[in-house]
């Protein structure tokens, strides 16, 4: 919306913060979209938490700037004098660390600083350092989980694994967000794409219609031109059609500026590449958003599949119906039991992924699995 709107929004934010603090308290913009508040003579942690919550609540209400209605949120980290430190610089650093964790646990949260947060930051830094060498040291590998249409394998999802000498096995849920914080993710994604597309080339000798689904981070979408040229170069090199690749994105793409992502979609879709929306139902799940980017596939999040109570089944049915009416495919993730499969089928779901069908497999196991499934069909 431009700098002018941004500046006016910042001014309104300032006013709202000031309205929520007391006389004698202090507030300042610390740079970018960060503010600092000092609560003097704060009698208890409870009061500081209450004031923080008040600030968050007031910033949740819409802002009106010119013709724009703007929705924002805030994350607050708290540190205490003299409990956490006597040094202003350290207190700032600690509240910043706490704020980082508040952000990570979702929007509009308050987080108190504690020693273990600093330890977590140190661990993250270690992971980041070691991850930088992981590709060169051959520590990364991919496993592939088959994707099913009824009982037939139609594709595979590439899932990243990292084993490090010092840290042992680090799950992707831990190291991907850390890689996303630094620019490391783009290097990792490039490697994952290269491996996955190489693999699907080989597997298409067994089944010429097979595709590979690759998880792409929302951070990769910030450099859409690079991502696009990586993908098209690889498909070209391996002489593969676009539809041998499906890109999985989570709903967090919707918080980025959509323009460049739309261009990425259009350019790759015109080459046949498909897009899936991952973990559907856990993020923004706005219908407006769903219509704004032409996804081919909705992946229903595992959390809906796991508990098959009436409400969850209703939500699943809703998602399946939305997919149908938008001519999108729908796949259920995390199917672990025959019972879950049965319920999903009754709701009209035909595509599945999960331990009930197959665990993620290393390439050698996958080839055996595919050969077996071809013979039995
Ligand atoms: P995701 O994309 O939602 O991947 C599905 C996750 O569910 C995988 O966990 C998979 O092993 C697990 N899973 C599959 N079937 C079942 C089931 O029946 N039950 C249960 N409980 N789990 C099942 P994994 O491999 O640990 O990956 C976790 C997440 O890490 C992925 O979630 C994805 O967001 C991220 N990730 C993995 N590989 C990559 C990658 O190459 N790039 C990026 N950007 N993210 C990745
Ligand atoms: Ca995925
Ligand atoms: Ca998922």
């Amino acid at each position: 919306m431009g700098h002018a709107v941004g500046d006016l929004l910042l001014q309104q934010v300032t006013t709202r913060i000031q309205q929520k603090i007391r006389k004698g308290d202090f507030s300042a913009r610390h740079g970018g979209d960060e503010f600092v508040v000092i609560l003097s003579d704060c009698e208890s942690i409870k009061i500081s938490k209450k004031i923080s919550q008040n600030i968050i609540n007031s910033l949740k209400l819409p802002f009106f700037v010119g013709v724009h209605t703007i929705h924002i949120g805030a994350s607050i980290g708290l540190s205490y004098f003299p409990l956490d430190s006597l040094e202003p610089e350290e207190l700032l650093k600690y509240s910043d660390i706490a704020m980082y964790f508040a952000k990570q646990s979702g929007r509009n949260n308050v987080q108190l600083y504690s020693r273990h947060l600093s330890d977590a930051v140190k661990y993250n830094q270690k992971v980041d350092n070691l991850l930088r060498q992981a590709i060169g040291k051959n520590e990364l590998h991919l496993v592939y989980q088959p994707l099913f249409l009824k009982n037939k394998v139609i594709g595979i999802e590439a899932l990243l694994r990292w084993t490090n000498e010092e840290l042992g096995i680090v799950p992707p849920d831990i190291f991907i967000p850390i890689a996303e914080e630094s620019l490391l993710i783009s290097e990792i994604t490039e490697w994952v794409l290269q491996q996955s597309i190489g693999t699907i080339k080989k597997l298409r000798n067994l089944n010429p219609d097979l595709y590979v689904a690759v998880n792409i981070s929302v951070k990769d979408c910030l450099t859409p031109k690079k991502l696009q040229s990586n993908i098209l170069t690889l498909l070209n090199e391996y002489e593969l059609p676009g539809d041998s690749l499906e890109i999985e994105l989570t709903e967090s793409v919707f918080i980025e500026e959509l323009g460049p992502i739309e261009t990425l979609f259009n350019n790759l879709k015109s080459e046949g590449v498909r897009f899936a929306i991952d973990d559907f139902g856990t993020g923004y799940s706005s219908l407006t958003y769903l219509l704004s980017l032409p996804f081919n596939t909705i992946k229903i999040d595992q959390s809906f599949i796991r508990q098959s109570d009436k409400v969850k089944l209703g939500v699943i049915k809703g998602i399946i119906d939305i997919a149908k009416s938008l001519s999108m495919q729908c796949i259920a993730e995390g199917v672990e039991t025959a019972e879950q499969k049965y319920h999903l089928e009754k709701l009209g779901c035909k595509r599945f992924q999960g331990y009930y069908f197959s665990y993620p497999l290393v390439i050698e196991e996958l080839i055996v699995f595919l050969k077996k499934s071809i013979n039995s069909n």
Side-chain angles (χ1 to χ4, degrees):
M1 293 171 191
H3 285 283
V5 173
D7 286 349
L8 289 170
L9 176 65
L10 284 168
Q11 284 171 13
Q12 289 194 27
V13 167
T14 305
T15 309
R16 286 202 196 168
I17 291 175
Q18 281 168 345
Q19 281 165 351
K20 293 296 162 197
I21 60 180
R22 306 157 304 178
K23 232 189 189 161
D25 290 340
F26 169 88
S27 75
R29 175 164 165 245
H30 194 233
D33 58 355
E34 293 190 356
F35 293 80
V36 175
V37 171
I38 301 173
L39 303 173
S40 40
D41 296 324
C42 201
E43 303 76 20
S44 71
I45 289 182
K46 220 169 142 190
I47 289 179
S48 61
K49 276 176 112 175
K50 178 88 188 104
I51 296 175
S52 302
Q53 199 54 56
N54 287 345
I55 293 176
I56 286 177
N57 291 345
S58 88
L59 296 180
K60 264 198 230 165
L61 302 173
F63 287 84
F64 304 101
V65 182
V67 295
H68 305 284
T69 305
I70 301 171
H71 296 270
I72 61 168
S75 309
I76 299 185
L78 294 171
S79 65
Y80 294 92
F81 171 90
L83 189 72
D84 295 323
S85 171
L86 303 176
E87 299 299 327
E89 281 303 326
E90 268 189 353
L91 285 166
L92 260 181
K93 186 176 110 191
Y94 292 160
S95 58
D96 197 41
I97 288 174
M99 193 254 312
Y100 172 82
F101 282 89
K103 254 188 193 170
Q104 280 208 326
S105 51
R107 296 178 120 202
N108 298 319
N109 270 310
V110 183
Q111 172 74 54
L112 262 63
Y113 173 76
S114 78
R115 259 300 301 278
H116 83 264
L117 294 187
S118 277
D119 294 344
V121 168
K122 277 189 204 130
Y123 176 78
N124 288 1
Q125 276 164 354
K126 174 145 233 168
V127 167
D128 188 85
N129 278 335
L130 293 172
L131 194 55
R132 272 167 209 284
Q133 303 151 28
I135 295 180
K137 284 185 162 174
N138 236 345
E139 292 178 350
L140 296 178
H141 76 274
L142 287 174
V143 288
Y144 301 95
Q145 190 175 30
L147 309 170
F148 287 78
L149 171 60
K150 295 184 181 158
N151 290 318
K152 220 176 116 212
V153 182
I154 49 167
I156 51 173
E157 177 176 359
L159 295 162
L160 193 52
R161 297 291 177 261
W162 178 32
T163 314
N164 175 267
E165 228 181 333
E166 193 182 335
L167 300 172
I169 296 171
V170 189
D173 287 336
I174 300 285
F175 73 81
I176 296 281
I178 294 172
E180 284 176 336
E181 281 291 308
S182 57
L183 290 175
L184 208 52
I185 190 68
S186 89
E187 206 183 310
I188 291 177
T189 302
E190 211 174 314
W191 183 86
V192 170
L193 279 166
Q194 203 176 354
Q195 300 288 316
S196 305
I197 291 176
T199 295
I200 204 66
K201 176 74 184 178
K202 269 188 232 146
L203 295 179
R204 281 193 156 217
N205 291 328
L206 290 171
N207 176 349
D209 298 323
L210 219 58
Y211 69 91
V212 64
V214 176
N215 293 287
I216 301 285
S217 156
V218 60
K219 292 282 167 8
D220 295 311
C221 296
L222 298 177
T223 49
K225 283 203 183 112
K226 184 169 174 223
L227 182 62
Q228 179 185 319
S229 99
N230 272 344
I231 290 173
L232 294 181
T233 308
L234 281 166
L235 290 173
N236 210 357
E237 233 169 66
Y238 284 98
E239 296 177 332
L240 280 166
D243 66 4
S244 57
L245 176 68
E246 185 160 85
I247 289 176
E248 295 195 3
L249 291 166
T250 60
E251 291 163 286
S252 47
V253 282
F254 295 129
I255 56 172
E256 299 299 339
E257 200 191 330
L258 284 187
I261 300 177
E262 249 175 333
T263 315
L264 175 78
F265 261 69
N266 292 335
N267 292 347
L268 288 179
K269 281 194 87 168
S270 68
E271 299 294 325
V273 175
R274 288 193 316 230
F275 286 86
I277 186 157
D278 204 354
D279 304 341
F280 189 78
T282 56
Y284 299 86
S285 309
S286 145
L287 294 179
T288 318
Y289 282 147
L290 200 56
L291 289 170
S292 60
L293 288 175
F295 283 97
N296 304 80
T297 307
I298 292 182
K299 299 192 82 175
I300 308 175
D301 189 64
Q302 320 197 355
S303 56
F304 295 101
I305 313 297
R306 217 159 287 146
Q307 300 154 9
S308 41
D309 60 55
K310 255 196 172 151
V311 177
K312 291 259 157 110
L313 285 177
V315 174
I316 295 173
K317 172 99 177 71
I319 298 175
I320 293 170
D321 289 346
I322 289 170
K324 228 181 247 166
S325 60
L326 295 175
S327 308
M328 292 165 75
Q329 291 173 351
C330 196
I331 178 164
E333 287 190 274
V335 182
E336 292 182 350
T337 64
E339 194 194 341
Q340 288 167 346
K341 175 179 180 253
Y342 168 79
H343 284 303
L344 286 160
E345 271 173 337
K346 260 186 34 187
L347 296 174
C349 184
K350 297 191 188 79
R351 291 179 170 74
F352 309 99
Q353 172 180 11
Y355 296 165
Y356 175 72
F357 291 87
S358 168
Y359 288 97
L361 306 169
V362 295
I363 181 80
E364 295 80 12
E365 293 170 331
L366 178 66
I367 290 174
V368 173
F369 187 90
L370 287 175
K371 281 185 178 158
K372 254 195 214 155
S373 75
I374 288 167
N375 289 337
S376 68
N377 269 305

